[in-house]
Each structure stands twice: as structure tokens, then as C-alpha cells.
Amino acid sequence: MKAVTWQGKRDVRVETVPDPKIEEPTDAVIRITSTGLCGSDLHLYEVLTPFMTPGDIIGHEPMGIVEEVGAGVPDLSVGDRVVVPFQIACGNCWMCQTGLPTQCETTQVTSEGMGAALFGYTRLYGSVPGAQAEYLRVPQAQFGPIKVPEGPPDDRFVYLSDVLPTAWQAVAYADIPQGGSVAVLGLGPIGDMACRIARARGAGRVFGVDLVGERLRRARARGVETYDIRGFDSEKELVAAIQDQTDGRGPDAVIDAVGTEAHGSAAARLAQQASAMLPRKLSGPFTERFSVDRLAALHTAIELVRRGGTISLSGVYGGMADPLPMLTLFDKQIQMRMGQANVRRWVDEILPYLTDEDPLGVDDFATHRVPLSDAPRAYEMFQKKRDGAVKVLMQP
């Protein structure tokens, strides 16, 4: 089959690799009909290269048709249309039963001290072959795949794999009071969708912050009060502008949908680039012990949120030596919640929004649809924010 493979920093290629097959009774194999390109994939493209191996199959946002089913998967049949969550979880362990499949005790990558295995990600999460491919082996298929109806196009459901539950959890964790206010930092796919969900769930005012014109226009068209950070001379000016709209206090909640690759920290960026240039035997241990994030977005969130407010982190951070302003966090009595999205925990709440009325705008959420063979170009376009690329779907 054809699959997108990681070969090095900013180097992905479409190659011919062996077809997946059933290896365990709880496996299924699906033929992929649509698969997304995620901001997290760009971390592999740029920042997390020390944890990758040339030839790794990447991607984690698939949907498709079931082709084969293991004997231990009673609720799936060949021909079922399914969306596959980005995390691999059993559904039966204590963590899964508690609503935390990202911490699944069956698939935890204990050798790396990490949580549940993920499709198409680094060795820290199991190096499981990913979903930017023609076919995908799905472990723990007795729990993971989400059956969806025939009829609507893939765009209606494919975002259940990651974008929708990640944005939904970001809003849920933000704990926005009914009629209250939230600022979303970063209007990429997750931030954009978080704005839509916050409005749908009753937020009174939603502020969106970014520096990419197309992203700001998309959010503004859906009722978000947008702020272009290029129009401010400093973080303090931006914070003051939004605080002026909230009686001087700041919003009730801030969602950081940017993460480790935020603009505004040259030293941290240099450290990330340096670790990626070290020999492979050194770069992994160095990154695990001494890595730092570009924390500009998180520092803005801390300054911006009102006293007693909540910060919800959905942007991925990977640093192990990050300095944080603990005095400010403590003094302002800020609550923080974060983590990978627990996909199956939120699906039943999201599905009622995936109707012909399309209140979240999923049917036209993608800005680009490309064949799998165009993956290298799509990665470069998305990484460089060219051609108005906000969300890219690939069809094998």
C-alpha cells in the first residue's frame, strides 16, 4: 500500500509499504477514505524529530471502511463505516472506565513513562503505524472505532478522530460560565473549532487571537471577536485590549490552542532546533531531560485570564525544563487543565451537532482536499501557512 513516511526533519515521503494485517483478536483493518493533516503532525515535521525513526508511518485522523475484523471484536462487521480515534485504548481498564482513555492502562507506553499509545506518533507513544495511508491496522478495535451512518460525506464525521473531541475537551476544561467569556489563543483547526463549540455551548463572548489573516477571517465570520497580534507592539497591549472588553478583569477562561511552537521565544526555538541537529543517540536523551517550549502563548494566557479564572491547554507542550511564573499563577488563583483529548468520553455529546443543519460548520471546515500522493506538498504548505491552509484532508 501507499503511506506517508517520516524520513527526517521537514522530509515526509509517500512510499510503498507492506499492507497491514490482523495480528491480535482485537484488531481490525480499515480501508481509509479520508485522513487529516494535524498541527500535531507538524511537531514531528519540525520539533519532535529526536523521537522519530526514518520510515515511520505518520498520521492519526482517519475514517474509512472496515475490511477485516478479528475474532475478539464482536460489534464491528466488514463494510461498517467508522472513524478511528487518534489514541488506542481498551475501554475496560480503570482509566478507561473513569473516562480517561488517554491514560489507558492496557496500552500505556510504560517503557517511556507515557500514557496510551497513539497512531502515527513518536516512540514515546509506541511508534504505532499511522493513518496517512491506504489501510490501517486498528488495535483494540472492540472499543476504539466509532460507527457512523452512510450518506453524508466524510467531512461530516472525520473530525471525530481528533479535532472535534480535542476542541470539545478544551472548552469543557475551560469551564466557561453560561454567558461568560473566553479567549482562544491560536485559530488553527483546534482553536477555530473551540471558538465554534464555545459559542454553541452558551459562551457570551468569544475572543480569538492569531496572526494569520485567513484564520482570523474564518473566525470573524462565525461571530468571534478577533485580534491580530501583528497589530500590537507588545503582549501587554494585546492583553489590555481584551481586558478592556471584560470590565478590566480579563476573560473568565483562556484556551491555549498554540502549544510549543508559539512565536516569540528565539532562545527556546534555538534550543529546539539544536536538539534536532544532534546525533540520534544524543538528541533523544537531551530532549527528554533539557527540552524547553516556546511559552509565549502560555505566558499570554496567564497574564490575560481574570483572577480566579481557568486556563485550558489543548496545544501540545513537550518541554521538561520549562520555567513558569508560579507567583502569578498562585496569586491570581488560576486553575489549569490540560491533556490529550479523551475521544470516546466526548463522542456522545458531539454527535447531536453533526446534522444536516451543521451548527459547527464541519461540512466546509477543510480548506484543502488533496490526494495522498500530494502529502509532501501539503505538509510544506500547512507548515508555512501558505494558500490559506487551515485544515487539510487527504484521500488515498
Side-chain angles (χ1 to χ4, degrees):
M1 70 172 183
K2 297 293 186 182
V4 181
T5 63
W6 185 92
Q7 298 296 335
K9 185 173 182 177
R10 300 179 195 154
D11 182 4
V12 299
R13 306 174 195 172
V14 179
E15 297 189 320
T16 299
V17 301
D19 290 349
K21 59 183 180 180
I22 299 291
E23 298 178 14
E24 301 289 342
T26 51
D27 287 351
V29 173
I30 71 164
R31 174 175 55 84
I32 294 173
T33 55
S34 291
T35 187
L37 173 52
C38 177
S40 296
D41 294 325
L42 294 185
H43 299 324
L44 311 182
Y45 195 65
E46 184 78 25
V47 176
L48 298 179
T49 57
F51 303 113
M52 299 294 289
T53 301
D56 283 349
I57 301 173
I58 51 184
H60 58 269
E61 296 187 351
M63 71 174 294
I65 307 299
V66 176
E67 294 280 304
E68 296 182 69
V69 181
V73 185
D75 296 327
L76 279 187
S77 301
V78 171
D80 283 346
R81 188 187 193 197
V82 296
V83 179
V84 180
F86 69 89
Q87 68 226 201
I88 302 167
C90 71
N92 296 315
C93 69
W94 187 89
M95 285 290 182
C96 286
Q97 291 292 309
T98 309
L100 294 170
T102 55
Q103 312 304 324
C104 175
E105 293 169 321
T106 301
T107 72
Q108 277 180 14
V109 186
T110 54
S111 61
E112 301 288 349
M114 304 299 280
L118 309 178
F119 286 105
Y121 224 61
T122 70
R123 67 170 172 79
L124 298 179
Y125 288 100
S127 296
V128 180
Q132 289 170 7
E134 294 181 306
Y135 293 90
L136 177 70
R137 170 181 166 253
V138 182
Q140 304 297 328
Q142 81 286 350
F143 176 68
I146 304 158
K147 287 194 279 190
V148 296
E150 297 293 338
D154 282 6
D155 295 51
R156 180 74 56 87
F157 302 112
V158 66
Y159 305 115
L160 285 169
S161 59
D162 184 349
V163 173
L164 281 165
T166 297
W168 192 277
Q169 179 171 293
V171 173
Y173 280 9
D175 196 25
I176 308 159
Q178 195 69 17
S181 57
V182 59
V184 179
L185 307 182
L187 297 174
I190 302 303
D192 186 344
M193 186 57 72
C195 289
R196 301 178 187 205
I197 290 169
R199 285 178 54 80
R201 295 188 61 181
R205 299 186 75 177
V206 179
F207 307 100
V209 179
D210 206 291
L211 47 67
V212 180
E214 178 61 25
R215 294 179 175 188
L216 291 160
R217 286 190 292 273
R218 276 167 59 103
R220 195 179 307 121
R222 300 193 69 91
V224 177
E225 301 174 52
T226 58
Y227 291 79
D228 186 340
I229 61 177
R230 296 171 299 181
F232 297 89
D233 291 333
S234 67
E235 174 204 51
K236 290 188 180 299
E237 283 190 12
L238 170 66
V239 168
I242 298 177
Q243 287 177 336
D244 284 347
Q245 299 298 312
T246 53
D247 298 323
R249 287 189 292 270
D252 298 305
V254 176
I255 295 172
D256 174 359
V258 179
T260 185
E261 292 188 271
H263 294 263
S265 179
R269 181 177 185 179
L270 182 62
Q272 290 175 345
Q273 292 173 338
S275 68
M277 295 172 64
L278 290 171
R280 292 187 58 80
K281 288 184 179 180
L282 299 178
S283 61
F286 177 89
T287 303
E288 287 183 74
R289 293 187 180 186
F290 304 114
S291 58
V292 292
D293 293 296
R294 284 178 261 174
L295 295 172
L298 180 55
H299 282 288
T300 298
I302 293 167
E303 289 299 315
L304 178 58
V305 72
R306 69 163 170 81
R307 292 178 177 273
T310 302
I311 295 174
S312 173
L313 302 184
S314 63
V316 175
Y317 285 96
M320 292 293 285
D322 290 331
L324 288 175
M326 293 304 299
L327 174 62
T328 303
L329 287 165
F330 183 84
D331 179 66
K332 290 184 71 173
Q333 203 165 333
I334 293 170
Q335 302 178 71
M336 296 182 69
R337 299 191 70 183
M338 66 194 79
Q340 304 275 10
N342 297 287
V343 175
R344 292 304 302 261
R345 176 176 179 176
W346 308 112
V347 165
D348 289 344
E349 295 181 28
I350 298 169
L351 280 170
Y353 289 83
L354 305 184
T355 62
D356 288 343
E357 289 73 26
D358 195 19
L360 300 179
V362 295
D363 287 351
D364 60 359
F365 189 69
T367 54
H368 293 72
R369 296 172 181 82
V370 302
L372 191 70
S373 58
D374 280 356
R377 182 183 65 84
Y379 267 83
E380 183 180 12
M381 174 182 66
F382 190 36
Q383 198 264 343
K384 294 182 177 178
K385 300 178 177 64
R386 290 177 177 165
D387 301 330
V390 177
K391 186 61 185 178
V392 180
L393 292 180
M394 294 183 276
Q395 277 82 38

